[in-house]
Amino acid sequence: MADSAVKPRVLVVEDEDNIAIALDYLLTREGYAHDRVANGADAMPRIRADRPDVVLLDVMLPEVSGYEICQDIRMDPDLRGVKILMMTARGSAMERRKGLALGADGFIAKPFELKELREELKRLVAGEAGAGDA
């Protein structure tokens, strides 16, 4: 299977349409296959069904928080290959520590720089093949 033929799959879990639209634009431009769910309750069934390479996960979501979703992903052995990049509008050090403690692979504060998001996604996707070369 040629790596160039396989697009990394990203699932965006984000309830704010304006942010989701910006992410859709960026992910399309960067060549990722991607989809979106707009509330926390829909996230885990979709993640289990689609097995994305990366979940771009908002912390503040309707119904189920990003922290709970992060924890659920990490507790499911079938999903151990899924990378989690958490996003929050309140990028405090405490929130970052909590997300990383629950198993997130990265953390990005909103509003984020597109360059920063692009680099984080690249780092996580590259981590699939082998860590440290980024």
Side-chain angles (χ1 to χ4, degrees):
M1 162 166 45
D3 281 352
S4 59
V6 178
K7 288 182 173 186
R9 288 168 308 139
V10 177
L11 179 65
V12 176
V13 185
E14 171 60 69
D15 59 318
E16 293 179 46
D17 288 338
N18 58 339
I19 293 171
I21 289 165
L23 290 170
D24 175 69
Y25 173 77
L26 174 75
L27 293 168
T28 300
R29 204 179 70 188
E30 294 296 313
Y32 293 100
H34 61 281
D35 205 354
R36 172 196 178 199
V37 296
N39 78 54
D42 296 336
M44 284 309 295
R46 180 67 69 84
I47 292 164
R48 286 194 176 101
D50 294 356
R51 301 279 170 87
D53 296 303
V54 178
V55 176
L56 199 48
L57 182 59
D58 190 18
V59 169
M60 303 294 290
L61 291 163
E63 299 183 53
V64 180
S65 80
Y67 292 126
E68 290 174 72
I69 295 163
C70 180
Q71 197 167 23
D72 288 348
I73 293 169
R74 289 301 171 237
M75 288 168 51
D76 187 334
D78 291 337
L79 300 176
R80 71 176 154 269
V82 175
K83 304 288 188 205
I84 303 168
L85 180 57
M86 296 195 83
M87 306 179 288
T88 181
R90 305 188 315 254
S92 75
M94 192 158 76
E95 286 202 325
R96 174 176 248 124
R97 279 196 302 274
K98 181 176 178 179
L100 296 174
L102 289 173
D105 297 290
F107 214 96
I108 194 164
K110 296 192 283 187
F112 38 75
E113 295 290 324
L114 291 183
K115 181 176 184 282
E116 183 187 5
L117 178 62
R118 187 183 308 126
E119 287 168 1
E120 276 294 288
L121 284 169
K122 230 172 243 170
R123 177 182 71 81
L124 293 178
V125 168
E128 288 286 322
D133 295 339

